[in-house]
Amino acid sequence: MKLYETRQAPNPRRLRIFLVEKGINLKDFEIEQLDLGAGDNLSETFKTKNPMCGVPVLEFDDGRCLSESIAICRYFELTHPEPPLMGDTAEAQATIEMWNRRMELHLLLPVAMAFRHTTGHFADRESVFPDYGADRAGAAIKIFDFLDRHLADRRYIADENYTVADITALVAIDFARVVDIRIGDRPHLAAWHERVSTRPSAGA
């Protein structure tokens, strides 16, 4: 199998962390790095693999491709069920999905929009609205505050165990540094961040 990814981007990192947590060796994949700034993901060749032009993409040996980081994680959750990162009961799966979606929609997406609209990194291919970027940065900061309260009496975001929701939150919070959003004086969030950042997978 082959992975198309971009080392600095949050969604490919999310998948890499997930794979390492599953005990899957990244060296088992052929990995091709794409330069998003140069538009490698916009080529006609890459569009045949993912018409949405995003990374990561998993290409199977027969040429079929799977995109969207959580869809790829779901594939590996089913083919490598231990340890369960998406839940092992109906209630756990639903709860983890709820929290992961919250981390995607209310944290990772606002951080990504703050990056795109305040830095203008992709201004050569999309309209940029700095005021919207600033608004999304403010939304992300509110979730930092929410998570600090949420984590006051629990070790992990969705469950008593580490899950994909923690992975999504970690990559979002780390990526937020590029728009100067930091944990700061949020002790419970900082303690959680220390716990998840010291896992071997975090360096994947």
Side-chain angles (χ1 to χ4, degrees), residues 19-86:
L19 292 173
V20 172
E21 287 286 339
K22 284 291 183 182
I24 299 170
N25 193 335
L26 295 175
K27 293 181 179 179
D28 291 341
F29 299 89
E30 179 185 354
I31 298 179
E32 181 172 331
Q33 296 292 329
L34 300 183
D35 185 340
L36 300 186
D40 290 352
N41 58 313
L42 303 178
S43 71
E44 292 305 315
T45 298
F46 188 71
K47 285 180 181 179
T48 66
K49 303 180 187 303
N50 180 10
M52 300 295 102
C53 303
V55 288
V57 169
L58 175 67
E59 184 173 22
F60 296 99
D61 294 339
D62 63 3
R64 291 177 300 120
C65 291
L66 185 62
S67 59
E68 306 304 332
S69 57
I70 289 299
I72 301 172
C73 288
R74 176 67 67 183
Y75 170 80
F76 286 108
E77 177 82 353
L78 294 172
T79 58
H80 297 73
E82 295 297 329
L85 297 174
M86 293 180 160

Side-chain angles (χ1 to χ4, degrees), residues 23-193:
I24 299 170
N25 193 335
L26 295 175
K27 293 181 179 179
D28 291 341
F29 299 89
E30 179 185 354
I31 298 179
E32 181 172 331
Q33 296 292 329
L34 300 183
D35 185 340
L36 300 186
D40 290 352
N41 58 313
L42 303 178
S43 71
E44 292 305 315
T45 298
F46 188 71
K47 285 180 181 179
T48 66
K49 303 180 187 303
N50 180 10
M52 300 295 102
C53 303
V55 288
V57 169
L58 175 67
E59 184 173 22
F60 296 99
D61 294 339
D62 63 3
R64 291 177 300 120
C65 291
L66 185 62
S67 59
E68 306 304 332
S69 57
I70 289 299
I72 301 172
C73 288
R74 176 67 67 183
Y75 170 80
F76 286 108
E77 177 82 353
L78 294 172
T79 58
H80 297 73
E82 295 297 329
L85 297 174
M86 293 180 160
D88 56 3
T89 67
E91 183 177 354
Q93 288 177 8
T95 299
I96 292 165
E97 176 69 15
M98 174 182 73
W99 279 103
N100 188 59
R101 289 293 287 160
R102 287 172 173 173
M103 294 303 97
E104 287 185 318
L105 295 174
H106 301 292
L107 181 58
L108 182 56
L109 182 59
V111 168
M113 291 300 99
F115 167 70
R116 293 173 78 138
H117 288 279
T118 62
T119 69
H121 190 74
F122 299 114
D124 61 331
R125 67 202 71 167
E126 66 182 13
S127 298
V128 175
F129 303 97
D131 287 347
Y132 175 67
D135 177 81
R136 293 299 80 202
I141 290 170
K142 289 180 181 178
I143 297 301
F144 275 47
D145 292 335
F146 166 79
L147 284 174
D148 189 54
R149 297 189 298 270
H150 176 69
L151 291 162
D153 59 356
R154 65 192 74 206
R155 289 180 58 80
Y156 298 108
I157 287 173
D159 192 270
E160 69 262 17
N161 299 310
Y162 180 89
T163 72
V164 68
D166 296 289
I167 297 174
T168 298
L170 174 64
V171 300
I173 287 169
D174 287 350
F175 191 66
R177 296 170 186 164
V178 301
V179 288
D180 202 29
I181 300 173
R182 301 179 186 277
I183 291 173
D185 186 22
R186 298 177 178 92
H188 307 300
L189 183 58
W192 166 87
H193 188 264

